């Protein structure tokens, strides 16, 4: 957390840009509130923020809030007392309650951060926006496609600030990667392969059986979209962000192949999104093997990016050093007269492609979450909605839910026109 705090002071410097430059803001207009002149203008002001949901994710967000001198945490809300108590330990001066309506009814609250189970997002966010509050909502936006559209329309109708925590929008590595892609460094991006693998049952300990669904809500379809809405929504965003278009068709498959413990959501999923001219993006997640971990492999005809690693690779690597070339030539001379069965043998050519760091150094901060929270605080002070944040969150959720629908219905899904908004 300390590294994150240090780096947040120099957010735009991590990108190699001068704060507030026209080029930066034209490419990433949602960063407008983070420009130096905007941040100076809000110096001395505070946003009064409530956190609704103080489970693991809510407390993670709360840690960033209490480090921000422009934020005052005025309420903590959770209907599970052990989690509320853990929240109190982070923000002891905040008032606490179990009913979110008590927070919404307080005129002294400027904005709310919602980190509750997915199926409650629309109810709480909708009530908050109707009550004049600015809203930061954990992804995914909502449990169903109609609820997702309603939530977005409520934001547009009320005009209040609305953030969805798609933290890659504020991650310097991802922002720099997109800037490099748009410059043409990697040619035409033909495919995006994304995956998020873990090895664990995704289960929290339950002190009493009647609390099973409350604590392990992610395992049950009534409350959760499983791996698609909890993990896939992060990575599926890459398609709209890079290509600036929506897929035409979605295919998917999945099942409960290992963790047969009463859960209802899949522990093994794979979805393919196909775009015009044959471009495609895939998302895969298996939670019984973590070897390959988490990554997006963005592939152009001139090179590849792996933002989670923080590296890029060109297709043509530099020539190997002269000495190694000489050694390889000697080896070829020695072995060229030896007959081997099977494929032709070729010695190691000693030119592995180790890549280069996207921002010139190894990632030394957690991810973009802290920057996203900071941007919300700035927006809650000014009341200005940064462009594209709500729309990116909307489509990340819609595409996740369409992938889930393709898995559950075992059929090809065409993108439904009724869920297209005025964005792409």
């Amino acid at each position: 957390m300390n590294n994150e705090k240090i780096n947040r002071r120099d957010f735009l410097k991590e990108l190699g840009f001068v704060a507030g430059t026209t080029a930066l803001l034209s490419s990433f207009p949602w960063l407008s509130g983070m420009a130096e002149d905007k941040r100076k203008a809000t110096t001395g002001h505070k946003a009064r923020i409530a956190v609704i949901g103080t489970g693991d994710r809510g407390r993670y967000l709360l840690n960033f809030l209490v480090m921000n001198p422009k934020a005052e945490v005025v309420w903590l809300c959770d209907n599970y007392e052990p989690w509320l108590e853990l929240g109190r330990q982070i923000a002891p001066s905040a008032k606490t309650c179990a009913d979110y309506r008590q927070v919404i009814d307080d005129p002294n609250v400027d904005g709310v951060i919602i980190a509750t189970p997915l199926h409650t997002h629309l109810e709480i966010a909708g009530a908050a926006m109707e009550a004049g509050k600015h809203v930061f909502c954990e992804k995914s936006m909502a449990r169903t496609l109609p609820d997702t559209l309603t939530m977005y329309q409520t934001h547009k109708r009320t005009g209040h600030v609305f953030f969805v925590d798609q933290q890659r929008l504020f991650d310097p590595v991802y922002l720099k990667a997109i800037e490099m892609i748009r410059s043409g460094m990697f040619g035409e991006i033909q495919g995006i392969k994304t995956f998020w693998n873990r090895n664990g049952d995704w289960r929290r300990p339950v002190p009493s059986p009647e609390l099973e669904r409350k604590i392990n809500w992610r395992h049950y379809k009534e409350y959760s979209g499983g791996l698609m809405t909890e993990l896939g929504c992060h990575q599926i965003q890459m398609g709209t962000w890079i290509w600036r278009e929506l897929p035409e068709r979605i295919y998917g498959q999945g099942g409960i192949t290992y963790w047969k413990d009463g859960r209802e959501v899949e522990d093994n999923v794979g979805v393919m999104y196909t775009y015009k001219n044959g471009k495609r993006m895939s998302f895969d997640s298996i939670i019984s093997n973590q070897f390959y971990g988490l990554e997006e492999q963005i592939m152009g005809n001139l090179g590849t990016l792996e933002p989670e690693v923080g590296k890029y690779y060109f297709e043509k690597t530099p020539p190997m050093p002269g000495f190694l070339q000489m050694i390889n030539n000697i080896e070829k001379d020695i072995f060229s007269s030896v007959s081997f069965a099977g494929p032709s043998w070729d010695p190691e050519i000693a030119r592995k492609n180790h890549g280069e760091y996207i921002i010139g150094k190894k990632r030394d901060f957690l991810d973009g979450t802290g920057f996203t929270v900071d941007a919300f605080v700035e927006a809650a002070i000014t009341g200005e909605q940064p462009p594209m944040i709500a729309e990116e969150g909307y489509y990340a959720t819609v595409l996740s839910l369409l992938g889930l629908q393709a898995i559950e219905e075992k059929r090809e899904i065409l993108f439904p026109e009724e869920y297209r908004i005025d964005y792409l």
Side-chain angles (χ1 to χ4, degrees):
M1 197 67 71
N2 288 334
N3 281 343
E4 183 89 10
K5 184 175 181 180
I6 292 169
N7 280 285
R8 286 194 295 156
R9 296 172 185 162
D10 299 312
F11 170 62
L12 295 174
K13 292 180 183 178
E14 291 287 347
L15 297 172
F17 293 115
V18 177
T21 61
T22 302
L24 172 63
L25 298 183
S26 64
S27 295
F28 312 116
W30 58 89
L31 299 182
S32 57
M34 300 293 282
E36 188 174 357
D37 59 338
K38 292 288 186 71
R39 288 183 291 137
K40 284 183 177 178
T42 58
T43 300
H45 295 266
K46 279 186 180 288
R48 298 166 296 184
I49 306 295
V51 177
I52 302 175
T54 55
D56 292 344
R57 187 66 184 178
R59 295 194 305 277
Y60 182 67
L61 299 172
L62 181 58
N63 274 296
F64 293 115
L65 272 181
V66 298
M67 291 192 297
N68 189 324
K70 296 180 182 179
E72 179 185 359
V73 181
V74 293
W75 277 101
L76 301 176
C77 177
D78 202 294
N79 58 16
Y80 185 53
E81 177 60 30
W83 289 339
L84 192 57
E85 176 55 34
L86 291 173
R88 288 190 190 101
Q89 295 173 21
I90 301 170
S93 63
K95 294 181 285 187
T96 59
C97 66
D99 187 341
Y100 77 86
R101 287 168 292 194
Q102 194 170 345
V103 173
I104 300 301
D105 290 340
D106 186 346
N108 295 312
V109 173
D110 299 314
V112 299
I113 288 181
I114 300 169
T116 56
L118 179 60
H119 72 295
T120 67
H121 286 184
L122 173 62
E123 176 187 340
I124 300 172
M129 286 187 276
E130 296 289 1
K133 315 300 183 188
H134 304 303
V135 170
F136 177 110
C137 186
E138 263 306 318
K139 75 307 227 181
S140 293
M141 274 176 63
R143 174 63 187 87
T144 68
L145 288 166
D147 282 0
T148 303
L149 181 58
T150 297
M151 199 163 165
Y152 178 74
Q153 291 172 333
T154 302
H155 153 62
K156 296 297 286 185
R157 176 172 51 79
T158 62
H160 300 303
V161 169
F162 180 54
F163 272 54
V164 183
D165 189 16
Q166 298 288 145
Q167 64 259 38
R168 283 166 170 76
L169 291 172
F170 288 87
D171 187 321
V173 172
Y174 281 84
L175 292 170
K176 188 66 175 179
I178 296 297
E179 192 262 347
M180 294 165 76
I181 289 168
R182 291 179 181 169
S183 75
M185 283 181 62
F186 304 100
E188 295 184 14
I189 303 302
Q190 300 298 313
I192 304 171
K193 181 179 181 181
T194 76
F195 51 88
W196 196 328
N197 299 313
R198 296 174 170 180
N199 196 335
D201 59 9
W202 208 15
R203 181 173 293 282
R204 294 185 173 95
V206 177
S208 180
E210 70 271 12
L211 294 173
E212 164 62 18
R213 286 180 172 252
K214 185 180 188 67
I215 293 176
N216 288 309
W217 59 271
R218 288 182 177 86
H219 287 176
Y220 301 99
K221 290 188 175 182
E222 180 181 355
Y223 318 117
S224 165
L227 298 174
M228 293 306 303
T229 56
E230 298 304 312
L231 301 183
C233 60
H234 291 276
Q235 298 180 302
I236 291 167
Q237 182 203 358
M238 300 307 294
T240 54
W241 197 2
I242 291 171
W243 284 320
R244 311 305 305 145
E245 61 184 82
L246 295 171
E248 296 177 336
R249 293 176 171 81
I250 301 101
Y251 314 79
Q253 61 181 20
I256 302 172
T257 61
Y258 185 80
W259 297 107
K260 302 178 187 298
D261 55 2
R263 71 185 58 210
E264 297 172 357
V265 301
E266 293 81 2
D267 63 6
N268 184 332
V269 300
V271 180
M272 182 70 70
Y273 299 84
T274 63
Y275 296 73
K276 64 183 180 182
N277 301 324
K279 300 191 298 283
R280 57 193 176 90
M281 174 178 65
S282 64
F283 171 73
D284 291 281
S285 183
I286 295 173
I287 55 171
S288 56
N289 184 298
Q290 65 181 2
F291 185 77
Y292 288 107
L294 158 68
E295 189 54 88
E296 297 94 24
Q297 297 169 341
I298 303 166
M299 294 168 280
N301 64 297
L302 300 180
T304 300
L305 296 98
E306 294 182 338
E308 279 294 328
V309 173
K311 284 192 166 186
Y312 66 91
Y313 313 84
F314 288 122
E315 286 287 284
K316 294 182 179 179
T317 57
M320 60 185 133
F323 177 76
L324 292 178
Q325 177 71 65
M326 180 184 69
I327 296 296
N328 283 333
N329 288 340
I330 293 171
E331 289 178 340
K332 283 188 176 182
D333 288 339
I334 293 173
F335 289 103
S336 61
S337 61
V338 180
S339 176
F340 287 91
S344 300
W345 181 83
D346 193 21
E348 176 70 36
I349 63 172
R351 63 172 193 181
K352 284 188 176 180
N353 188 348
H354 296 289
E356 301 291 340
Y357 286 113
I358 290 171
I359 59 171
K361 62 179 181 178
K362 189 175 181 180
R363 179 192 289 269
D364 60 354
F365 49 89
L366 302 177
D367 61 18
T369 302
F371 304 139
T372 313
V373 172
D374 282 355
F376 173 69
V377 170
E378 293 286 339
I381 293 172
T382 65
E384 297 177 7
Q385 172 70 27
M388 300 172 66
I389 288 179
E391 289 75 15
E392 287 286 335
Y394 172 82
Y395 272 136
T397 297
V398 166
L399 293 179
S400 298
L401 290 170
L402 289 172
L404 178 61
Q405 182 182 346
I407 291 170
E408 293 178 338
E409 296 180 5
K410 297 181 173 59
R411 67 179 181 92
E412 172 187 283
I413 302 292
L414 302 181
F415 189 92
E417 287 300 311
E418 62 266 33
Y419 293 107
R420 189 182 295 271
I421 59 174
D422 184 17
Y423 177 58
L424 295 175

